[in-house]
Amino acid sequence: GAVVSQHPSRVICKSGTSVKIECRSLDFQATTMFWYRQFPKQSLMLMATSNEGSKATYEQGVEKDKFLINHASLTLSTLTVTSAHPEDSSFYICSATLGGLNTEAFFGQGTRLTVV
Amino acid sequence: AQRVTQPEKLLSVFKGAPVELKCNYSYSGSPELFWYVQYSRQRLQLLLRHISRESIKGFTADLNKGETSFHLKKPFAQEEDSAMYYCALSTGNQFYFGTGTSLTVIP
């Protein structure tokens, strides 16, 4: 199946700094990528839908100025957590779809963010 | 509006017992339904999708449009089935996940 790579897999940052997480589709072009947040022992929460070349669509309650999403190419989307705070500590997961008639989503391995 | 509902947050069954993870959806169009599984410390991976109508690892799921359900079933649970299971709906443009069901298979 298609491969989605997320980097870094684990990051620790100081409160007030910004952190960028990359999501790459390695062997296919992803018109649409999704960013999720997973709290401990809770479900995936869709944060935003990212379409190549256009602004991301954020879900209700997600601060777009806090979580900056850029999808500059068909193989790369980035999520930047700006001015991180301890409450931003979480597991962030991206996924990408092949598009067209095939809407299966492929997931990155996730990024564990810890803000200290 | 919640498009995908998984009513059971936790489910425990004994090894060898049948298991059913419930999923109901709400969508006016023709959805694509999926089941994803997340084993401990691993990434989410596709378990099965309704259009392929295949059985993966002994699991099956039938789309019931009348009941708007896509329940996941396995006749004999195995310990290695212990994981988090997510039902998902695709509208073609967006993916919606249920809240997930944590399945524990007791030896």
Side-chain angles (χ1 to χ4, degrees), chain B:
Chain B
Q2 185 68 31
R3 293 193 183 272
V4 182
T5 304
Q6 290 179 252
E8 303 139 329
K9 202 167 185 176
L10 301 170
L11 183 63
S12 295
V13 299
F14 285 100
K15 177 182 174 181
V19 61
E20 180 180 56
L21 289 82
K22 292 185 167 53
C23 173
N24 288 88
Y25 67 90
S26 171
Y27 184 61
S28 58
S30 294
E32 266 203 80
L33 276 299
F34 303 82
W35 275 99
Y36 282 86
V37 60
Q38 188 175 31
Y39 299 103
S40 180
R41 300 180 189 277
Q42 295 187 32
R43 72 177 72 192
L44 271 167
Q45 55 187 287
L46 178 67
L47 183 60
L48 53 79
R49 57 193 304 182
H50 89 270
I51 61 171
S52 60
R53 300 186 63 81
E54 56 189 343
S55 173
I56 305 292
K57 299 184 180 183
F59 284 97
T60 59
D62 290 317
L63 178 61
N64 186 322
K65 291 186 177 180
E67 296 182 358
T68 60
S69 67
F70 189 56
H71 303 325
L72 183 68
K73 301 177 184 179
K74 184 169 182 176
F76 307 103
Q78 302 299 315
E79 289 180 63
E80 55 266 28
D81 296 329
S82 295
M84 192 77 177
Y85 292 80
Y86 293 94
C87 181
L89 176 152
S90 171
T91 64
N93 294 316
Q94 295 209 303
F95 251 78
Y96 297 94
F97 283 87
T99 48
T101 298
S102 176
L103 173 66
T104 301
V105 180
I106 305 165

Side-chain angles (χ1 to χ4, degrees), chain A residues 53-105:
Chain A
S54 62
K55 288 184 179 179
T57 302
Y58 290 82
E59 294 297 300
Q60 193 172 8
V62 178
E63 299 175 60
K64 54 181 151 185
D65 295 331
K66 172 80 171 170
F67 299 99
L68 300 178
I69 291 172
N70 183 283
H71 193 163
S73 77
L74 286 170
T75 59
L76 174 64
S77 176
T78 60
L79 167 68
T80 302
V81 182
T82 63
S83 188
H85 287 98
E87 55 264 31
D88 298 325
S89 298
S90 190
F91 196 61
Y92 294 86
I93 303 174
C94 74
S95 75
T97 60
L98 290 166
L101 297 176
N102 189 336
T103 57
E104 179 183 346

Side-chain angles (χ1 to χ4, degrees), chain A residues 1-4 26-28 98 104 106:
Chain A
V3 178
V4 173
L26 296 185
D27 50 2
F28 67 101
L98 290 166
E104 179 183 346
F106 299 91

Side-chain angles (χ1 to χ4, degrees), chain A residues 26-38:
Chain A
L26 296 185
D27 50 2
F28 67 101
Q29 294 185 326
T31 308
T32 305
M33 289 187 172
F34 305 90
W35 286 95
Y36 298 87
R37 185 171 176 177
Q38 187 175 35

